[in-house]
Structures are given as C-alpha cells and as structure tokens.
Amino acid sequence: MANVTVIGAQWGDEGKGKIVDWLASRADAVVRFQGGHNAGHTLVVGEQVYKLSLLPSGIVTGTLSIIGNGVVLDPWHLKSEIAKLESQGVVINTSNFAIADNCPLILPLHRDLDGLREQAAGAGKIGTTGRGIGPAYEDKVGRRAIRVCDLAHLDSLDAQLDRLCAHHDALRAGFGQPPVDREALLTELREIAPFVLQYAEPSWKRLQTVRKAGARILFEGAQGVLLDVDHGTYPFVTSSNTVSGTAASGSGLGPNATGFVLGIVKAYTTRVGSGPFPTELEDETGQRLGERGHEFGTVTGRKRRCGWFDAVLVRQSCAISGVTGIALTKLDVLDGFDKVRICTGYRLGGKVLDYFPSHAADQAGVEPIYEEMDGWNGTTAGARSWADLPAQAIKYIQRVQELIETPVALVSTSPEREDTILVRDPFVD
Ligand code: IMP
C-alpha cells in the first residue's frame, strides 16, 4: 500500500474536494501541507454538502486529520469552521484532529495588509482571496511570525511582538493607516489560545508513528501548480509552493513518504483572480462552460474565468510535480458540445513553444494553437465504467493523456463519491 499526494494541476478548483474525500474514506490519516483558508473544498456525501477551507477533508469521515506546519493558520477561522462542521454532525476531537505546533498564524494584521495592498494596486491587483495568506507567509520567511506554539507563551511574547509590530507599523504608515493595536491583538490571542492549543502538538511525530504502523497517509494539496510561487504564473500566484514536493516539507515527513502523486485535472480550464490564461474564452462558449460547470469560487463566490483544456500547461504541471497519474474531473460539462478544442502549443513572436514561458509578458502574449475534435452526444454524467461513456468522450480522454504524457488514474463524472471510473487505484502500488 502506498501513500497518496493529491495536488491540483491547473489553477485550483479542479474538483480536488470530491477526489480527496473519496481517497480519505480509505486513508488512515489526511494531512494538509500548504496554503490556508484560501482553499475551497466542497464535499458532497449523500444529502450533505460540506464546505472546507482549512480543515483536511478526512475530518468529515472521522479519519485522523492533521494541519501540517506548511499551512498558515487563522485561529478564528479555525474555530468557526469547526463550529460549522460540528453543527452538521461532524465529530472533531483530539483523537482525530491535530495541528502542527510550528504552524505560523494568520493574524488580523495580515488580512489588513492583504486588503490594503490589493486596494492600492488597482488594476494591477493579484485578485487574492483577501485572507492574509501572502502577508502571513512573508512573516514566516521573515522570521517574525507568531506560531501556534507561541500561544502557550503569551506572557513572554514581548520581543516577538515588538519585531512584528515594528514591521507592520511601518507598512501601515505607508498606507496611511494607524499602528497595530498591540494590546487588542494580545487580548484576542489570549482568548483564542486555549481553543487552538488543545489540538497543538509536534504533528510530524504523530505522522511518524502512524507511518511506522503501516498507515495509509493522504497528503491533501490546495490551490494548483499554476498558482505555485515558483512555478506558477508569477506574480499572479499564491504565496506557497503548491507542487507535490511540499507535501514532505509541509508535513514533516521525508520525500520518500509522499507516494503516488495524483494530479487533479479539470476537463477544461478555469481560473479565479487576475493573471494570464492563454485559452480563456470571453464569448458564449466560455459562458456556457461557466454555467454548466457552476464555476463560482467556493471561498469568495467570484465568477471563474473559463476556457478550453490547455495540454501544454497540464503537461508542464505534471512534469514539475512528478505526477504519477491524473484524476480527470467535470468531463460532463463538455457533454453536448459539437466540437471541443485542446491547446497543444503556443505561438509567441513567430516561434512555436511546447512549454509555458516564465516571463509575465510572454505568458500574457502567447497565442494558443488548438486541435479540434468532435464532441459527443449523450451524457458522461454519473458514468461508473468506460462502457458508460460515449466513444467520442473516451477519445477525448485518450488524447488528453497522450498530450500531457501522464496516464489517467481516475475519471470523476459527478460530484457524488461513487460516480468515478477507477483505472488505477492510487493506494495500491
Ligand atoms: P491568495 O492565495 O489569497 O494570496 O490569492 C492569490 C491567488 O491565488 C489569487 O488569484 C486567488 O484567486 C488564487 N487562489 C487562492 N486560493 C485558491 C483556491 O483554492 N482555488 C483557486 N484559486 C485560488
């Protein structure tokens, strides 16, 4: 039995929630290793819909769920997300939930800064989720973060708070804002500390223990490779590494623990927020994809931009993240199209490229080269075997896997857990 690492291979919103939920029901532990409550994972289990932003998806099935050190944690959001899930009947306690005690906190001052910067950027804004993710990661690498373990030592936090506030006060002054209200911050931290600390532990140790006992671990990525701070469409990215390699550093287990890398890939392309998007369709077809796919952000409710499948981008994501196999999602959104298109290369300044260039101007300037295929009649929705799929839909899947040079391990055909075609079980080596 292998461990499995799930990552998004596009710009997030590939439908990771359902796949992770399905895998989590067979895992012994689920770990979030990067990002924060900017993620939006929707799980549909029977009649119940669970919306998770921060908690690992395993929590819904009662599987041991761990927020790893690579995550940035908003303690107040944590409390409200737990309360919401509890009101839906989910049981959360210290035997099925833990938080890495070396996890950095997202504070109100991070949310402030996220908002101030976006506002000041005008048309050049990133289009962040406004949740303070970027500023919290900046403080982590700037070595001035307040971490979960610090909540147990609030009486000796003076020097740390001095450094943090000095930094933020200077930035806030630049935006014409008053300094951080240090006393109010300390009071808020004192209030929330016992709630967070009940779950805090050196979670790498618990993971080591379950690993030694032969447990199956699921590493749950958030966002997507194209939002990775190194490999994505910089600067229109999130502030963490979203690639599979982060599963090791963001959980405290070594790279040999991460196992089968499952890349989640939507059968077309979407993006929320600003930034280049070569196959974007700003016409009726794009509108149709958005309506059929219910393409609105889980976290912010923003309308997602939509376009054809971009095989160049996904091939690159799969290579960079060492994807073993993909889970193809939302194929049914393409049902009923006369023709479907796949981007197979780009034109840039008279040259043909088989990769996505690094410079922002080149990324914005590439023109997609398309291959057109016949669409299919009939529906793929709810299919549970290849025999349930129209022949032309199978051809589309085969062409996708050929172009991205990565095999299909799963095809998801509706939000329901059972509506899945399993080609290769990621948990079985
Ligand atoms: P941030 O992560 O809030 O800093 O936002 C940076 C960029 O990442 C923006 O374009 C967001 O729309 C995008 N983003 C962040 N989280 C997600 C996600 O879970 N799904 C899709 N896009 C996301």
Side-chain angles (χ1 to χ4, degrees), residues 57-79:
S57 298
I59 205 76
V60 167
T61 42
T63 311
L64 172 62
S65 294
I66 290 178
I67 294 184
N69 56 277
V71 169
V72 280
L73 181 111
D74 180 325
W76 300 278
H77 176 89
L78 174 79
K79 194 171 178 188

Side-chain angles (χ1 to χ4, degrees), residues 3-6 20 23-24 27 29-31 216-220 427:
N3 295 332
V4 177
T5 299
V6 171
V20 167
L23 291 166
V30 184
V31 194
R216 279 178 298 197
I217 301 172
L218 177 63
F219 297 89
E220 178 179 5
F427 271 127

Side-chain angles (χ1 to χ4, degrees), residues 11-13 38-40 114 126-131 133-134 222-223 227 236-239 271-274 299 302:
W11 277 292
D13 309 315
N38 49 349
D114 200 350
I126 306 286
T128 72
T129 58
R131 299 200 152 187
I133 307 291
Q223 292 85 46
L227 289 170
F236 300 100
V237 291
T238 192
S239 298
R271 167 162 214 177
V272 267
S274 324
V299 172
R302 287 179 293 178

Side-chain angles (χ1 to χ4, degrees), residues 18-76:
K18 171 195 156 164
I19 307 287
V20 167
D21 167 53
W22 180 74
L23 291 166
S25 65
R26 299 160 60 232
D28 304 299
V30 184
V31 194
R32 279 267 323 252
F33 55 86
Q34 48 72 227
H37 63 310
N38 49 349
H41 293 175
T42 304
L43 315 184
V44 182
V45 185
E47 300 289 292
Q48 284 276 16
V49 178
Y50 303 97
K51 288 191 187 289
L52 306 179
S53 291
L54 175 62
L55 291 166
S57 298
I59 205 76
V60 167
T61 42
T63 311
L64 172 62
S65 294
I66 290 178
I67 294 184
N69 56 277
V71 169
V72 280
L73 181 111
D74 180 325
W76 300 278

Side-chain angles (χ1 to χ4, degrees), residues 233-317:
T233 45
Y234 193 90
F236 300 100
V237 291
T238 192
S239 298
S240 65
N241 283 110
T242 57
V243 292
S244 59
T246 317
S249 58
S251 67
L253 283 173
N256 56 350
T258 52
F260 188 109
V261 179
L262 184 68
I264 315 297
V265 174
K266 203 183 273 191
Y268 49 100
T269 315
T270 61
R271 167 162 214 177
V272 267
S274 324
F277 181 171
T279 62
E280 182 171 15
L281 296 166
E282 290 176 278
D283 58 6
E284 264 175 35
T285 309
Q287 185 117 359
R288 185 167 161 198
L289 287 171
E291 279 163 18
R292 288 183 55 92
H294 309 290
E295 296 295 354
F296 294 91
T298 314
V299 172
T300 58
R302 287 179 293 178
K303 205 169 164 181
R304 296 179 186 141
R305 301 154 65 193
C306 298
W308 294 119
F309 186 78
D310 190 332
V312 183
L313 285 180
V314 175
R315 183 170 61 232
Q316 191 156 325
S317 293

